[in-house]
Amino acid sequence: MHRSAPRLSRLLACAAVPVMLVAVGCSSDSGSESDGKKNEGSSSSGSADTKKPSAPAVEPAKFSDLPDPCASIKKKTIEDLVPEAKKKNGTAGRSNDLSIRGNCSWNGLDDKGVKGSQYRWLDVGFTRFDSDQSLGSGAKRATAEYAKQIAKTKASEGAEKVAAEPGKGIGEEASVITYGLKQTDEDFEYATVVARTGNVVVTLTYNGAGYAGAKTPSKADITKGALKAAKEAVAAVEATAESTATPPAEDKAGDDAKSDAKDDSKASPKAG
């Protein structure tokens, strides 16, 4: 009886061992499954945080302002093209924002008495486009407007013998459209120059007619005058970029250094 008690204790101890092993095994499996779920969660959240690449920024607009349309053409040119102009300084058109859109016109009747009279009219207009992420660069938008103005001019109501050719040496691209038009029982000769420089479109129209028996001006003369004025108008636009440009930092530093050296020379006593 006394010997059976120790033996019984040993049997119970051995019987408990498999139970502990099973418990340990379950604990290990549970941990691996939990780790797997965590890894899946971290992987999915990482892919969700990945951002789509942003669209490339559009090219900045070349011009941020426009010149005064009434001052864009030289006074001497106005005198030559529009003799006896009613307003020498031109008549400015209305605009809500002169940095975006503006125009100016001149007209006059040169009365030659019994030889008749010559009428001339000149108009210049500017349209500037800013760069926009959703609409495109200013230059791209101006290119679309340039084509639109050419098509609009060619489709002028009542226009006869419409012809178009490139306007060489004017801006980045230019076209000159010529046509005849009957107005106030007189034959008018027209020339319209549409030009683009950077993000600005320039539209210039010059026309004339002879009254009281005077001859209608020739197509060649009207075209020549329109091209001359258009070149000056485009040059005025391009000059706005130069007038608003800031000097490079190194140049400014050099100017400051020269100024300091000049002040030092004034302060130092001259050698005897």
Side-chain angles (χ1 to χ4, degrees):
M1 295 294 293
H2 293 289
R3 291 179 181 178
S4 61
R7 184 180 179 185
L8 180 60
S9 299
R10 287 196 298 272
L11 289 172
L12 291 172
C14 290
V17 170
V19 176
M20 293 174 65
L21 290 174
V22 171
V24 171
C26 291
S27 174
S28 176
D29 291 342
S30 175
S32 63
E33 290 178 4
S34 177
D35 292 343
K37 291 179 179 179
K38 288 181 179 179
N39 290 336
E40 290 179 14
S42 63
S43 176
S44 62
S45 64
S47 61
D49 292 341
T50 303
K51 295 181 179 179
K52 295 181 180 180
S54 58
V58 297
E59 178 187 6
K62 183 177 181 180
F63 302 107
S64 59
D65 201 0
L66 290 174
D68 177 358
C70 292
S72 64
I73 300 174
K74 297 176 182 178
K75 289 185 177 182
K76 180 63 169 64
T77 301
I78 297 298
E79 291 175 0
D80 292 341
L81 299 184
V82 190
E84 304 299 325
K86 293 179 180 178
K87 292 185 178 181
K88 303 293 183 181
N89 295 325
T91 301
R94 294 182 179 181
S95 175
N96 293 328
D97 188 345
L98 290 173
S99 69
I100 297 295
R101 188 186 302 273
N103 77 286
C104 188
S105 63
W106 298 260
N107 70 85
L109 182 67
D110 186 12
D111 189 350
K112 303 225 180 253
V114 295
K115 294 183 179 180
S117 303
Q118 288 290 334
Y119 175 82
R120 296 291 185 273
W121 185 81
L122 175 68
D123 178 272
V124 61
F126 301 126
T127 306
R128 186 180 65 83
F129 296 87
D130 286 320
S131 293
D132 186 281
Q133 189 66 36
S134 60
L135 299 176
S137 69
K140 180 181 178 180
R141 297 175 66 194
T143 300
E145 178 66 15
Y146 167 75
K148 179 181 177 181
Q149 289 299 323
I150 292 175
K152 180 180 177 181
T153 302
K154 288 181 177 179
S156 297
E157 185 178 356
E160 300 177 347
K161 298 180 180 179
V162 179
E165 60 184 28
K168 298 179 180 179
I170 305 176
E172 294 178 38
E173 54 184 340
S175 293
V176 54
I177 302 97
T178 57
Y179 56 95
L181 196 63
K182 191 84 170 180
Q183 294 183 117
T184 60
D185 295 329
E186 302 294 344
D187 294 321
F188 278 71
E189 194 68 44
Y190 273 76
T192 295
V193 179
V194 182
R196 180 187 68 83
T197 176
N199 56 311
V200 175
V201 175
V202 178
T203 304
L204 184 140
T205 297
Y206 181 48
N207 67 65
Y211 280 87
K215 290 183 178 180
T216 301
S218 69
K219 173 183 173 180
D221 287 345
I222 292 295
T223 301
K224 181 180 178 181
L227 289 171
K228 176 178 174 60
K231 287 180 180 179
E232 293 181 8
V234 170
V237 172
E238 294 172 346
T240 61
E242 298 175 3
S243 63
T244 57
T246 55
E250 59 269 21
D251 291 347
K252 186 177 185 302
D255 291 340
D256 291 342
K258 290 178 181 178
S259 179
D260 292 342
K262 187 176 181 180
D263 292 339
D264 291 341
S265 64
K266 289 182 178 179
S268 302
K270 294 182 180 180

